[in-house]
């Protein structure tokens, strides 16, 4: 074995160690997020007190603040409220207090969870870079490499939103859980030893086309999480509006999420922002196919499902902009569109044979 081969093997081993190490840290972040939700929950007495002081679901409540004035006079101030219009235009409700529930201990564990997520992300990113150095190409030549890179980018998108002061910490538990599942499948089922690609794929389009596909998938995932939670929160708000008493789970968890209108707006903006990039991804893939295989479009299963995914998201965006299809109907379309993306990755690669099956798993 020559020196270069030994170096590449050592780098591949280092990549594996870093990926497994990141899984260990993500696991700690998972338990920290669990603690955030547990210690951020409120007892029945606490929820009643919060409702009376305007911290609960009653958007019209006020708090009285005693302000010392000259002469001993006091003033009563209305509590400022952040009101968002629901997708269907039927409810105006404030956002929930977040996963920490407005409690000191819940917030402490939430900050610990985010810090651990940052550490795990850095370790995982190191593993992806080491994998790229071991194969001396873009680290997404097979499903294993695509999976570890995909989850890295998904966490990066989440942390970027956090850095931009966006209220997304409520997503942390679902994100970390999904990343652990993704890495678990990647390391046990999809793992492929470091190897070079077939000659047709040695192109700079590998960096352009696949990297944009990974970014789109990661952002679509964040939009799908927000959409799914929107459906639960919308159901919770509907029960409150109808005078129905939600269950203990709804009071403990759903009451702390952003309002349904906020989640609906967030998922729409996320999907709308990345949709042009997905369009570019398909165009870039067609150009690469023309260079590699001599045709721009051949109705290969991967090409077909990429186009189906594009159509599904286009339908969602159009429906979301149409008055009669806002809210839950549009949300169902968004989840169907993300399901198409998932099938395009897992289903087509594993169960369908085509030109994109060059690397197996």
């Amino acid at each position: 074995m020559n020196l270069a081969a030994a170096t590449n093997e050592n780098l591949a081993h280092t990549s594996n160690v870093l990926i497994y190490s990141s899984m260990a840290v993500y696991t700690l972040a998972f338990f920290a997020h669990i603690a955030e939700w547990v210690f951020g929950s409120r007892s029945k007495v606490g929820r009643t007190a919060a409702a009376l002081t305007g911290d609960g679901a009653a958007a019209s409540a006020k708090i009285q603040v005693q302000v010392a004035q000259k002469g001993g006079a006091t003033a009563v101030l209305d509590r400022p409220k952040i009101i968002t219009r629901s997708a269907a235009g039927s409810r105006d409700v404030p956002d929930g207090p977040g996963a920490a529930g407005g409690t000191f201990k819940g917030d402490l564990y939430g900050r610990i969870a985010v810090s651990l997520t940052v550490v795990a992300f850095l370790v995982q990113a190191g593993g992806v870079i080491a994998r790229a150095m071991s194969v001396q190409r873009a680290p997404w030549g097979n499903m294993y490499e695509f999976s570890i890179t995909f989850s890295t980018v998904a966490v990066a998108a989440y942390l970027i939103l956090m850095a931009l002061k966006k209220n997304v910490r409520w997503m942390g538990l679902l994100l970390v859980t999904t990343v652990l599942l993704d890495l678990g499948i990647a390391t046990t089922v999809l793992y492929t030893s470091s190897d070079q690609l077939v000659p047709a794929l040695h192109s700079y389009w590998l960096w352009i086309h696949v990297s944009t596909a990974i970014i789109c998938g990661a952002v679509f995932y964040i939009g799908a999480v927000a959409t799914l939670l929107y459906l639960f929160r919308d159901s919770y708000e509907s029960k409150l509006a109808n005078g129905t008493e939600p269950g203990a789970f709804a009071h403990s968890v759903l009451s702390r999420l952003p309002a349904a209108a906020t989640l609906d707006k967030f998922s729409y903006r996320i999907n709308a922002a990345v949709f042009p990039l997905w369009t570019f991804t398909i165009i870039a893939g067609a150009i690469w196919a023309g260079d590699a295989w001599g045709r721009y479009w051949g109705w290969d299963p991967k090409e077909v499902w990429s186009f189906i995914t594009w159509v599904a998201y286009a339908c969602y965006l159009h429906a979301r902009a149409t008055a009669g299809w806002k809210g839950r109907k549009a949300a169902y379309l968004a989840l169907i569109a993300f399901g198409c993306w998932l099938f395009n990755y897992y289903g087509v690669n594993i169960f369908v044979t085509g030109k994109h099956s060059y690397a197996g798993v």
Side-chain angles (χ1 to χ4, degrees):
M1 180 182 296
N2 55 39
L3 180 60
T7 301
N8 292 340
E9 184 176 341
N10 289 334
L11 286 171
H13 176 71
T14 300
S15 173
N16 295 339
V17 171
L18 290 173
I19 294 299
Y20 280 108
S21 299
S22 71
M23 293 176 66
V25 184
Y26 278 128
T27 301
L28 295 177
F30 169 81
F31 286 113
H33 275 299
I34 290 290
E36 177 187 18
W37 282 96
V38 169
F39 289 106
S41 64
R42 291 175 175 178
S43 64
K44 185 176 181 179
V45 174
R47 290 196 302 269
T48 302
L52 292 175
T53 58
D55 191 31
S60 61
K62 297 179 179 179
I63 58 171
Q64 294 186 350
V65 180
Q66 301 296 327
V67 182
Q69 304 283 348
K70 289 184 178 181
T74 61
V76 178
L77 303 179
D78 290 341
R79 176 175 177 164
K81 297 176 294 182
I82 300 176
I83 300 298
T84 53
R85 176 70 60 181
S86 64
S90 58
R91 295 188 303 270
D92 288 322
V93 295
D95 290 341
T103 66
F104 174 79
K105 185 173 289 188
D107 182 67
L108 175 63
Y109 280 105
R111 293 177 182 275
I112 292 174
V114 172
S115 299
L116 289 171
T117 302
V118 171
V119 173
F121 163 75
L122 294 175
V123 175
Q124 184 182 6
V128 173
I129 294 173
R131 177 76 176 197
M133 295 174 63
S134 70
V135 295
Q136 299 179 2
R137 56 167 171 77
W140 41 73
N142 50 59
M143 289 185 68
Y144 167 74
E145 294 173 357
F146 190 100
S147 294
I148 63 174
T149 306
F150 165 77
S151 54
T152 304
V153 176
V155 176
Y158 166 75
L159 294 177
I160 289 173
L161 289 172
M162 290 280 291
L164 294 175
K165 307 299 182 182
K166 302 298 181 181
N167 178 24
V168 294
R169 203 166 84 185
W170 44 268
M171 190 184 297
L173 178 59
L174 281 176
L175 175 76
V176 171
T177 303
T178 306
V179 169
L180 284 171
L181 289 173
D182 175 76
L183 292 179
I185 294 173
T187 54
T188 58
V189 178
L190 304 178
Y191 182 78
T192 303
S193 300
S194 301
D195 200 1
Q196 293 301 314
L197 300 176
V198 296
L201 299 180
H202 284 286
S203 170
Y204 59 88
W205 284 106
L206 176 67
W207 290 91
I208 299 173
H209 171 63
V210 184
S211 64
T212 55
I214 293 173
I215 294 172
C216 289
V219 178
F220 281 149
Y221 160 76
I222 290 178
V225 170
T227 301
L228 183 64
L229 293 178
Y230 156 76
L231 292 173
F232 285 105
R233 173 75 188 201
D234 183 67
S235 178
Y236 168 75
E237 292 179 7
S238 295
K239 290 182 179 180
L240 291 178
N242 295 330
T244 305
E245 181 69 16
F249 173 80
H251 276 310
S252 177
V253 176
L254 299 181
S255 62
R256 286 184 272 165
L257 292 176
T262 302
L263 291 169
D264 178 67
K265 184 186 299 183
F266 175 78
S267 60
Y268 170 69
R269 289 179 174 177
I270 284 288
N271 289 324
V274 79
F275 181 73
L277 186 61
W278 181 249
T279 304
F280 170 78
T281 300
I282 296 176
I283 296 173
I287 296 174
W288 187 14
D291 291 343
W293 300 318
R295 79 332 178 248
Y296 294 102
W297 191 267
W299 297 103
D300 182 77
K302 179 71 70 172
E303 297 169 349
V304 171
W305 276 95
S306 295
F307 180 68
I308 290 175
T309 303
W310 185 91
V311 171
Y313 273 107
C315 290
Y316 159 72
L317 295 175
H318 176 72
R320 182 60 175 72
T322 304
W325 275 81
K326 287 184 178 180
R328 298 183 71 88
K329 293 180 180 179
Y332 292 138
L333 282 178
L335 293 179
I336 291 173
F338 184 68
C340 291
W341 188 91
L342 283 179
F343 182 79
N344 186 34
Y345 174 54
Y346 286 104
V348 172
N349 283 8
I350 296 176
F351 303 110
V352 182
T353 301
K355 282 187 172 294
H356 285 78
S357 302
Y358 54 86
V361 296

